[in-house]
Amino acid sequence: MAIWLAGRRGASYCVKALISTTFRSSRSYTTAFASNGNSDSLFFCGNSSSAAVFGSQRFESTKARQQLDLLSSDDDEEQNQGVDFPGGRVAFTSEMSFLPESSEKRVQCYRVLDDNGYPLSSTQFKHVSKELAVKMYRGMVTLQTMDTTLYEAQRQGRLSFYVTSYGEEAINLASAAALGFDDLILPQYREAGVLLWRGFTLQEFVNQCLGNKNDYGKGRQMPIHYGSNKHNYFTVSSPIATQLPQAVGVAYSLKMDKKDACVVTYFGDGSTSEGDFHASLNFAAVMEVPVVFICRNNGWAISTPITEQFRSDGIVVKGQAYGIRSIRVDGNDALAIYNAVGVAREMAIKEQRPILIEALTYRVGHHSTSDDSTKYRPVDEIEHWKTARNPVSIFRKWVQRKGWWSDEEESEFRANVRKQVMDAIQVGEKIEKPPLADMFSDVYEEVPSNLMEQERLVRDTVKRHPQDYPTNIPL
Amino acid sequence: MYNCHRSDRSIDFSHQLLLPASYPHSVFAIIVNHNSFFFLFYPVFQGEKMWGILSQKLGAARGLSSQVVGNYVLRLRLAPSAMPMRHYSSATKEMTVRDALNSALDEEMAADPNVFVMGEEVGEYQGAYKITKGLLDKYGPERVVDTPITEAGFAGIGVGSAYHGLRPVIEFMTFNFSMQAIDHIINSAAKSNYMSAGQINVPIVFRGPNGPAAGVGAQHSQCYGAWYGSVPGLKVLVPYSSEDARGLLKAAIRDPDPVVFLENELLYGETFPISAEALDSSFCLPIGKAKIEREGKDITITAFSKMVGYALKAAEILEKEGINAEVINLRSIRPLDRATINASVRKTNRLVTVEEGFPQHGVGAEICATVVEDSFGYLDAPVERIAGADVPTPYAANLERMAFPQIEDIVRAAKRACYRSVPMAASA
């Protein structure tokens, strides 16, 4: 047996194997090394000795483990020696029992403020400064006002489509406030507030919705599909949950860069049914990457309530199934979100591991302008959440009680923001649409000859039939 | 999970440092790239294996890169000795497609630390088809990533890592399994540069065997050239020979756009002559240029991947009958080298397209359309399309043979195009 072990991996393996006894996974071993500061040569690739270090762990077989355990477990006093299987030793039981499909009590929800904005006495939370709190509150009001105004614009036919974030303002702004600017965001589509926090102006939002020449997306996407490299906010993409494995990939790249930054990706309750969700949580845990998964569990996926979406206790329990540290947070409580996301981010970066946050909230608005949610849910349910459990009013009460905000400032600020949005729309509508050349660029890094040919043909056609060509699209 | 079957030239790679003398030796290759040197050894002596491992350990101990030490050790062995080794000279070298791909991956990974390989069985198992053999040992598990069984997962993760500056090479065990990840290939990779207005580019390569192998049934035999070839934003490459494999894979890895690289399992073990130029580490073939494998003047036969070999054999048979066929190896389905195809048809006036994929909406259909659009006046006969049968691939060997183009089918089609009337249907 010893010779077989030696033959399998070489003498070095034998020595290492005997020294180290409870290697649950190669990764924990290497992370221990990595945190020793002198991490470059061992943690990074390219060096053959590191290949041997990683390699030797991964070739463990069940036989080898049994060997090791026999060698090392002399002082094991337990009666229950457990049974060896791939994956490790497991204690056995002669009593057959099934794990219940759900635990008796649901996972508790972390909150800091109650529904009236009073801090709960025993909660631990990091205090926020007046500046930060007011900035967060203003952001929430701005988001709400922008949503209202642009929703109305869509109803007037000035936009083709819009998605509001009513009820989720706290998740948007408070989570963004807890992150650093270098943290990379991969959003779903209900996270405009995160981009707002990072400095995307109202004019920039409106330009994208109108698809004019100043849109960073060059008029190629539907409204609300914002994206901005300089704000570290990846372009919104419509298919659900596709950003989750991408986020893990970005985090893998970030991990190799060793930056003090992580990836944060947002998704809804409906996304957790997609295969991508499961693949990405699983992978993130296996690869040990710094990614924070924030699930906005708002109760509805268009018309599908969560009772029809899954039968587990929400999403927080799914994290544990994949070996991911998770927490459930009151999504309507800005301070709770701020705290939880801040701590999650630190854990993700320091320990290089994924974290899952389930933020419980309610989608007050319709799914989008193509939806009328009163058709599948009671109006008084919507009203209840809009009034009694409104994240903006809860936070407003707390901020006002601290003397950092007042009613006059409120009405003045709201009026101001509304005017800004309407001005932005007016300005944006007057701006030209993107030029014709933008239809053919960026398909590949370099415009290929067939597309150049097609562009030339289009221009020829326009020259011959100018009356058929729209006037607001420059050539 | 599909258990890959080894072709008859499987190479057993095992790290066995201490071997009993009676242990049967296996043939293996050490590939070392140092500057412009390229040594390829087929050591027959079993002790050779020890050097590879030892050189790594020695090098590590002294803080030298394994490559430098390996090269030094190999150079020592170059000294005349009793060991029977084939050794490079200016005579024609040969290389299998498998080794060509492996060497291309190796060189690109050495040249750019952002290049990494990810897929099922690419690391420990040395690759389901041994294409990534030796890479795990050389570059470590950070750059050769074995994944759980989730094509959607690792394709998405690969795309995500490409979003942030890495250059992944994603391996699908066969492109049939890429269908489980096709949303990420098309929506996340191909369309991203356009949809983000140039803010997100995706320098990713998706590679793996495509098309039928031998007796693997309907779910493992489909050709995806036409599917991926229709997507704007993707580049689709189809190598045939070892030189194609090396040059096109290197080009694909260096390309800033997403590339789908369709290999062929049955070609992995085939040996082709390879020039010294192709063995150089900076060798690269242009994407979008077809190669005229055989010049002719009577009829043009276009083919890609394994069918190029069949077309060449068909051309030899046709030669005996007085038909001088020009065989074009497409090398690239998207962009399609319309210029070369049209120039050839204008010269020969007759065209046969060959592919293994399903006939409807296939690559041949596109080639036919482009020739009709650009060179209609030059055609002396209708274009003949040879494609796989319009059925899910049967398993039984006799049925499978009838479901894919054979050399006789190409010969018959060429004769039809030359108005030497022959029946359409294949004989049993």
Side-chain angles (χ1 to χ4, degrees):
Chain A
M1 188 54 68
I3 296 172
W4 181 84
L5 277 176
R8 194 74 185 93
R9 280 311 293 152
S12 59
Y13 171 73
C14 256
V15 174
K16 279 200 189 63
L18 287 172
I19 290 171
S20 51
T21 55
T22 47
F23 283 6
R24 291 254 130 230
S25 75
S26 61
R27 295 294 178 169
S28 55
Y29 180 88
T30 55
T31 340
F33 264 87
S35 57
N36 278 349
N38 187 18
S39 44
D40 281 298
S41 56
L42 281 168
F43 189 72
F44 239 159
C45 59
N47 183 326
S48 57
S49 67
S50 73
V53 164
F54 289 117
S56 61
Q57 305 320 314
R58 296 201 56 220
F59 282 126
E60 283 174 356
S61 71
T62 54
K63 276 184 173 171
R65 175 141 266 139
Q66 271 178 341
Q67 273 274 295
L68 301 175
D69 284 336
L70 280 171
L71 290 166
S72 64
S73 61
D74 300 325
D75 44 7
D76 197 9
E77 283 149 22
E78 278 187 32
Q79 297 274 344
N80 188 352
Q81 288 286 331
V83 182
D84 264 329
F85 278 109
R89 173 151 284 197
V90 152
F92 57 72
T93 168
S94 43
E95 184 191 309
M96 178 173 73
S97 71
F98 288 77
L99 289 177
E101 66 275 14
S102 55
S103 53
E104 281 174 18
K105 292 176 85 166
R106 293 191 64 179
V107 171
Q108 293 182 308
C109 183
Y110 170 67
R111 74 176 348 192
V112 172
L113 301 175
D114 66 15
D115 286 341
N116 288 314
Y118 288 104
L120 297 170
S121 51
S122 51
T123 334
Q124 27 169 200
F125 69 100
K126 195 167 118 196
H127 287 271
V128 297
S129 66
K130 171 181 175 182
E131 202 191 319
L132 188 69
V134 169
K135 187 175 177 198
M136 264 172 34
Y137 181 69
R138 284 183 189 219
M140 287 160 73
V141 171
T142 308
L143 178 62
Q144 218 176 39
T145 315
M146 180 178 87
D147 275 353
T148 313
T149 318
L150 289 176
Y151 186 89
E152 286 166 12
Q154 193 275 343
R155 285 291 182 245
Q156 290 171 7
R158 296 159 97 161
L159 297 183
S160 64
F161 177 79
Y162 193 71
V163 162
T164 59
S165 308
Y166 297 143
E168 297 178 49
E169 295 89 352
I171 295 179
N172 269 251
L173 272 305
S175 66
L179 301 172
F181 196 81
D182 285 339
D183 294 327
L184 298 155
I185 310 277
L186 279 95
Q188 178 74 63
Y189 47 63
R190 226 181 277 279
E191 297 89 14
V194 177
L195 192 53
L196 185 69
W197 176 270
R198 289 195 163 186
F200 213 59
T201 64
L202 291 171
Q203 188 67 58
E204 285 168 323
F205 277 113
V206 167
N207 286 341
Q208 196 284 328
C209 290
L210 291 170
N212 63 29
K213 192 174 67 177
N214 295 344
D215 168 26
Y216 297 145
K218 296 184 190 167
R220 292 179 184 148
Q221 290 239 47
M222 290 168 71
I224 70 97
H225 286 66
Y226 313 112
S228 174
N229 262 2
K230 63 179 189 217
H231 295 95
N232 287 326
Y233 190 91
F234 280 79
T235 310
V236 172
S237 155
S238 312
I240 297 289
T242 51
Q243 75 277 11
L244 297 179
Q246 292 166 9
V248 178
V250 176
Y252 187 72
S253 176
L254 208 56
K255 174 170 161 151
M256 295 177 92
D257 287 344
K258 302 241 198 61
K259 283 173 81 170
D260 176 27
C262 66
V263 176
V264 180
T265 180
Y266 297 80
F267 52 101
D269 41 285
S271 305
T272 64
S273 295
E274 281 277 359
D276 275 346
F277 167 76
H278 302 276
S280 54
L281 286 204
N282 187 40
F283 242 118
V286 168
M287 289 169 101
E288 294 179 14
V289 287
V291 55
V292 179
F293 293 101
I294 300 182
C295 178
R296 297 175 288 98
N297 183 349
N298 61 19
W300 293 91
I302 310 190
S303 69
T304 309
I306 49 174
T307 47
E308 285 175 29
Q309 195 71 250
F310 42 69
R311 287 298 157 87
S312 55
D313 174 17
I315 288 105
V316 63
V317 294
K318 293 183 178 167
Q320 191 178 43
Y322 293 107
I324 293 180
R325 211 173 281 169
S326 328
I327 186 172
R328 168 173 277 165
V329 176
D330 179 356
N332 289 357
D333 179 349
L335 291 181
I337 298 275
Y338 177 77
N339 273 268
V341 172
V343 171
R345 177 184 178 272
E346 277 210 35
M347 282 198 279
I349 296 174
K350 276 210 181 63
E351 298 177 50
Q352 293 287 300
R353 56 163 63 243
I355 309 283
L356 172 67
I357 298 177
E358 178 188 12
L360 294 180
T361 180
Y362 189 83
R363 192 196 77 209
V364 169
H366 306 304
H367 165 71
S368 69
T369 49
S370 312
D371 174 47
D372 175 12
S373 60
T374 57
K375 291 214 150 46
Y376 50 77
R377 56 184 186 175
V379 178
D380 37 328
E381 179 187 298
I382 307 174
E383 274 309 304
H384 167 74
W385 285 90
K386 202 168 177 178
T387 50
R389 309 287 302 277
N390 186 322
V392 182
S393 14
I394 292 171
F395 195 53
R396 174 184 173 182
K397 286 179 188 148
W398 182 78
V399 172
Q400 284 198 217
R401 239 172 256 131
K402 286 225 149 198
W404 294 342
W405 193 252
S406 65
D407 285 339
E408 302 86 46
E409 281 176 288
E410 172 81 17
S411 40
E412 192 190 319
F413 188 69
R414 278 193 188 262
N416 202 347
V417 174
R418 183 168 170 82
K419 183 172 181 308
Q420 280 180 40
V421 178
M422 299 201 358
D423 285 347
I425 297 175
Q426 290 211 337
V427 168
E429 279 175 340
K430 292 203 187 73
I431 299 176
E432 282 180 326
K433 298 299 184 196
L436 184 62
D438 276 352
M439 189 161 92
F440 298 100
S441 60
D442 302 319
V443 180
Y444 298 98
E445 273 296 292
E446 284 179 28
V447 184
S449 56
N450 65 319
L451 289 183
M452 283 197 247
E453 166 90 17
Q454 285 184 31
E455 188 184 335
R456 195 181 54 77
L457 289 172
V458 171
R459 284 182 197 279
D460 280 348
T461 312
V462 169
K463 223 172 268 164
R464 273 182 279 132
H465 307 280
Q467 70 282 3
D468 293 336
Y469 191 72
T471 46
N472 63 340
I473 301 182
L475 280 168
Chain B
M1 176 174 106
Y2 167 51
N3 286 313
C4 69
H5 57 273
R6 314 265 186 111
S7 63
D8 47 4
R9 281 205 55 179
S10 67
I11 298 171
D12 236 356
F13 189 82
S14 48
H15 295 283
Q16 296 193 353
L17 199 53
L18 308 166
L19 293 169
S22 61
Y23 204 88
H25 63 254
S26 321
V27 172
F28 84 114
I30 297 177
I31 295 153
V32 172
N33 183 23
H34 179 62
N35 294 334
S36 56
F37 282 108
F38 188 88
F39 291 95
L40 184 70
F41 290 100
Y42 291 109
V44 190
F45 189 61
Q46 70 197 25
E48 286 300 320
K49 290 191 195 63
M50 292 167 53
W51 287 112
I53 316 299
L54 265 182
S55 72
Q56 281 184 350
K57 305 254 184 274
L58 276 175
R62 277 171 208 162
L64 296 167
S65 82
S66 63
Q67 290 174 4
V68 172
V69 176
N71 204 26
Y72 178 67
V73 169
L74 285 169
R75 277 198 208 157
L76 287 179
R77 295 187 294 159
L78 267 181
S81 69
M83 296 191 210
M85 291 188 307
R86 233 172 299 149
H87 162 38
Y88 270 98
S89 64
S90 51
T92 322
K93 292 122 197 161
E94 289 192 329
M95 198 182 216
T96 60
V97 171
R98 177 180 284 115
D99 288 340
L101 294 167
N102 185 288
S103 62
L105 278 171
D106 195 349
E107 286 163 23
E108 292 304 304
M109 287 177 80
D112 184 351
N114 285 324
V115 176
F116 76 102
V117 174
M118 182 153 67
E120 292 156 1
E121 312 299 320
V122 294
E124 293 296 332
Y125 197 72
Q126 310 298 323
Y129 298 98
K130 303 293 179 267
I131 307 299
T132 52
K133 189 171 73 177
L135 297 180
L136 174 66
D137 272 343
K138 197 164 176 192
Y139 297 103
E142 296 245 309
R143 293 183 68 194
V144 182
V145 182
D146 273 330
T147 67
I149 306 179
T150 163
E151 280 74 12
F154 62 75
I157 286 170
V159 171
S161 70
Y163 281 177
H164 196 251
L166 291 182
R167 301 187 84 94
V169 178
I170 304 296
E171 174 174 308
F172 290 114
M173 205 176 282
T174 101
F175 264 91
N176 294 271
F177 306 150
S178 75
M179 292 197 288
Q180 297 183 281
I182 201 165
D183 177 72
H184 279 295
I185 299 174
I186 297 183
N187 279 331
S188 302
K191 297 181 185 172
S192 274
N193 201 35
Y194 190 75
M195 282 168 48
S196 71
Q199 295 187 85
I200 301 176
N201 84 310
V202 192
I204 192 170
V205 176
F206 297 101
R207 53 158 292 273
N210 174 59
V216 288
Q219 294 175 333
H220 297 98
S221 305
Q222 194 168 332
C223 174
Y224 290 87
W227 282 33
Y228 290 121
S230 68
V231 179
L234 278 185
K235 291 180 178 164
V236 181
L237 301 177
V238 276
Y240 163 63
S241 64
S242 304
E243 183 169 320
D244 289 355
R246 262 185 69 80
L248 292 177
L249 186 54
K250 278 162 161 300
I253 293 174
R254 295 177 200 177
D255 197 281
D257 296 310
V259 180
V260 169
F261 195 82
L262 304 173
E263 303 158 1
N264 186 294
E265 187 194 325
L266 296 178
L267 284 178
Y268 284 152
E270 270 201 44
T271 312
F272 293 89
I274 192 157
S275 62
E277 185 208 351
L279 290 170
D280 185 67
S281 64
S282 59
F283 175 66
C284 202
L285 281 173
I287 291 181
K289 292 290 301 160
K291 180 182 179 196
I292 298 180
E293 295 280 348
R294 181 190 205 275
E295 289 209 8
K297 54 180 178 52
D298 292 333
I299 184 167
T300 300
I301 306 178
T302 64
F304 60 92
S305 192
K306 196 169 99 214
M307 290 290 111
V308 176
Y310 281 34
L312 287 169
K313 293 204 183 81
E316 277 167 40
I317 296 173
L318 287 166
E319 191 68 54
K320 295 195 188 89
E321 310 215 13
I323 298 178
N324 186 233
E326 176 151 298
V327 176
I328 299 183
N329 172 6
L330 289 178
R331 279 183 169 176
S332 168
I333 289 179
R334 177 176 260 266
L336 195 58
D337 190 353
R338 298 167 203 272
T340 302
I341 297 169
N342 275 289
S344 173
V345 170
R346 288 178 185 211
K347 184 172 72 168
T348 64
N349 310 121
R350 295 165 205 276
L351 176 62
V352 173
T353 69
V354 187
E355 66 191 296
E356 291 183 292
F358 298 132
Q360 188 167 344
H361 310 299
V363 175
E366 176 63 31
I367 293 176
C368 178
T370 201
V371 163
V372 164
E373 279 166 13
D374 290 342
S375 314
F376 183 64
Y378 293 83
L379 281 170
D380 285 350
V383 176
E384 293 278 342
R385 269 192 303 176
I386 302 289
D390 203 15
V391 296
T393 307
Y395 165 74
N398 59 332
L399 294 179
E400 188 183 21
R401 197 185 180 284
M402 294 183 64
F404 290 108
Q406 304 301 330
I407 298 171
E408 307 80 62
D409 295 311
I410 305 176
V411 170
R412 262 197 299 272
K415 286 185 185 169
R416 275 198 305 275
C418 295
Y419 294 127
R420 314 261 199 103
S421 56
V422 271
M424 286 276 286
S427 50

